[in-house]
Structures are given as C-alpha cells and as structure tokens.
Amino acid sequence: MNRTFRRLMAISVMFLTACTPVPQSSFGGPTLPTRTMGLQDSLPPMRSFAGNRVITPTRSNREVGKDFMDLSFRMESGRPVTRLTRFEAPVTVRVTGDVPPSLTPDLRILLGRLRTEANIDISMTGAQTASITIEAIPRAVLNAAVPSAACFVVPRVSSWEEFKTVRRTPTVDWTTLERRDRAAVFVPSDVAPQEIRDCLHEEFAQALGPLNDLYRLSDSVFNDDNIHAVLTSFDMLVLRAYYDPALSNGMTRGQVAARLDPILSRLNPAGDSRADRPRNDTTRSWIDNIETALTAGSSPASRRNAALHAVSLAGAMNWDGPRDGFAHYALGRLNVGYDSDIALSAFNQALRIYNRSPETRLHAAHVSVQLAAFALSAGDGDGDGAAVLSLVDGAMPIAAAHENAALLATLMMFKAEALEMTGRGAEASAVRMDSLGWARYGFGADANVRARLSEIASLNPLKGI
C-alpha cells in the first residue's frame, strides 16, 4: 500500500497563479515585495495540532459493515484477500533513519489515539526489533525505488535494506500472509511536517488493518482522494472492530461477516438506528479515468478528457457524493489556466454536491480554496471582499477540526487579502501572521511558506501586480 502523489485535493495552491498573469519566481509563484507579504526576516514559530479526536457523522452499521468487508478482503488492485490478518497484542513500534523533529511527537499522538479510540495495545520501543518499524528516508532515495509513492508500507520486513532485497518477491505480498508479525512503513524525511504526519496516519492504519482504499468513502483516510489527512472516528471504528476479540487471525470473509454485525452494534450502537443508504461499487472504468486525470504522464488534453469521462460516468451511475464531487473537482482543477469558465463551473458544481451532506464538509472546504481564488482575482465583484470572506470563514473551522494545517493556512491567507480589500489592514496583518505558524507545519520550508503567501497575494487586483 502507498500514499501516492495523486493528491488533487491536496495542499498546494501553486496552480492558482494560472488565473491571472503574474511574474514568476523560482518557486513557481509571483515575485512580490516584502511589504506585500507582511513578513519580517524570520517567520513565527511553527504551530501544530494536539491530536484531538476527529469526529465524522455516524453512519448506518449496515453501511459500515459493507465498507469494513470491502476494505478488509480486497486489495486496491481488486485482488481478493482470503483471510483476515492482524498483529497480536502488544504491538510495538520503533523509529529509525533520518528522523525529522516533527515525526516522533506526531507519532506519539497517533499511538495515543489508537490506544484510546481503537483500543489497540500499541506503544513505542527502543528495542532493535518491533512489530512495526518506521524508517524515514530522503524523498529522492524513496522515489528512486518507488517513483509513484509518497510513502508506503510493506509486510515481513523491518528496514529499507531488507525491503530492497525482497521487493520483487512474494515476501512482500500481503495476500500470502497468515498473520502479521512484522511490517515497515517508509516515509520521506525531508518534506513538510504535515506530509510526514499524513503518511504516518494512512500507512500506519494499513499496517495494522484494512489494505484497500474505497473512493466511495466520504469520511476516511481509506480513500485515494486523500481528502482526510488524519484518522477519523470512522477509521478508528473500523480498526477497533478489526482488533475486536471476537475476530482472529486466519478468519475467512464468511467467518468475519457472521460475527461483524454484533461487533458493530456493541461498538457503534447509534449506527443500528441509522437508515441504510445502498451504494454501488465504484466501476473500474471510473477509477481508470480518475487515475489518468490525476497522474502526470498523459497529455493535458488526455487528462482533461479523462476527468470529463469520470464526470459523465458518475452521472450515469447516479452517484451523489464523494465520487461525483471529486470528478467535478478534477475537471475544474485541470481546466484552471486552460478554460476558466469550465473550471469555475466545475468547482461550483463540486461545492453544491459536497454541501448536500455533512459527511463532505471537509471536501467542500477544499473546493472553497479554488472558488476563493476566482473571487479574489476577479476583485470579488464589487471589490468588498464579501464573497471571499463568506467562503473562507465557513471553511476555516472545518480545516482546523480535521487538523489540516496547510488548508487552514491557505484559507487564512485568502482571508487576509479579503480583509485588505475592505480597508481592514490591521485585521489582515494579524490573520496573515497567524497563518504563517500553520503554514510552516503544512508547507515546510520557509521558502515554501513565502511562495504560497506570495501566490495568494498576487491574485489581489488591488495590489496592482
């Protein structure tokens, strides 16, 4: 399993400069005077989250049960997983490699949540061996071996050197496991703290439990749209059920299915009274089109056409939720800088789709970034900043609740520009400065933070750039 670079909803806003012609710097963003950025020689200290529970709406246990089974007994490729495998308690974790300062604190927070919310007996160890080894490796080294992966997890190994030796053998085939004894999570050591943390959450969850990702999920890191950055209450429920004493290593799909209903009723009693909403499986054709749209390698025209096909397929299947909204978002993203009318229409439709359900509020917050860029670059119609403020003020609390510092910082940067439009310069400066601590966690290097701030500022027509 791996967290790929197909992060269309992700934190970068570099493409926003395509909305308006601006001079480019070496970072891919505009070159702006320091006074416009509102920065001194140094940035404020990095901010980070405490690791609170990320609560998503309770769904029907029938829905959760189907999701559990599809996540647990199928690989992303569609290959069946014939038996349930998991670690036997206690689970130990060690960290090796070029460990960045943020990794261990974020890992401790994650392990604490797993103990509290998923009821898994898991802890760090200083021993030379552990159930799960996390090795931090320079991104260039990691990508030289696995070009498409931002990070990934493999079974039966405990080091990068061991992985390189067995990478093309059945040793690292998850479907051959009888139980889980060892696994290694490989993360980049030289990227933004948030990217490292996101890798920890997704890959750690799959090291412990289900191996599949499902595009239909609106409330989970087990989804290739990568909307959710940290484990949600749904994910913790799945992991808690996965490690429930009523289940054990080696159980078949049928054996797990026979025991799952009472497990979920006990762990999630509110789900028994929720109405079931049948959802059909995601077609291979839709997945192929989305992957073509999101993956570099195909021509821009081919990627735009693939996104359009994904929109059409979602409509034909009567999907109304994360898949339909994501297809529209992809279409909009790929038309920025090519056809602004199509891009804006697609973003607006994605927002309408996502706003229909509380389960996709975070998705809507991501789309709000794109719409704020259009509103800001257009002078917000009458230039009063109201549209931008409306978009970002509703999205900021959601970004914070879901612990997405990059998204939160980006929204705050847009808010600062909108406040300047209204002549509220002191408020704008305070919001902009507050955004920088979150941006350092979300974007990493100071140069990246300054570039993002400059890109957004360049969209403000009142600055005369």
Side-chain angles (χ1 to χ4, degrees), residues 233-256:
S233 56
F234 168 84
D235 298 323
M236 291 298 187
L237 172 61
V238 167
L239 288 171
R240 189 164 189 147
Y242 205 90
Y243 279 81
D244 191 271
L247 303 181
S248 60
N249 268 305
M251 280 189 167
T252 64
R253 183 184 182 102
Q255 289 171 325
V256 171

Side-chain angles (χ1 to χ4, degrees), residues 73-93:
F73 288 95
R74 194 187 308 165
M75 301 290 291
E76 285 186 72
S77 63
R79 293 172 62 202
V81 176
T82 59
R83 64 188 71 83
L84 182 138
T85 61
R86 65 187 191 185
F87 289 99
E88 298 294 344
V91 182
T92 55
V93 183

Side-chain angles (χ1 to χ4, degrees), residues 415-425 428 432 460 462-463:
K415 180 170 183 174
E417 297 303 322
L419 288 170
E420 281 196 352
M421 279 185 167
T422 69
R424 297 150 69 182
R432 184 179 292 113
N460 188 341
L462 300 185
K463 293 190 171 175

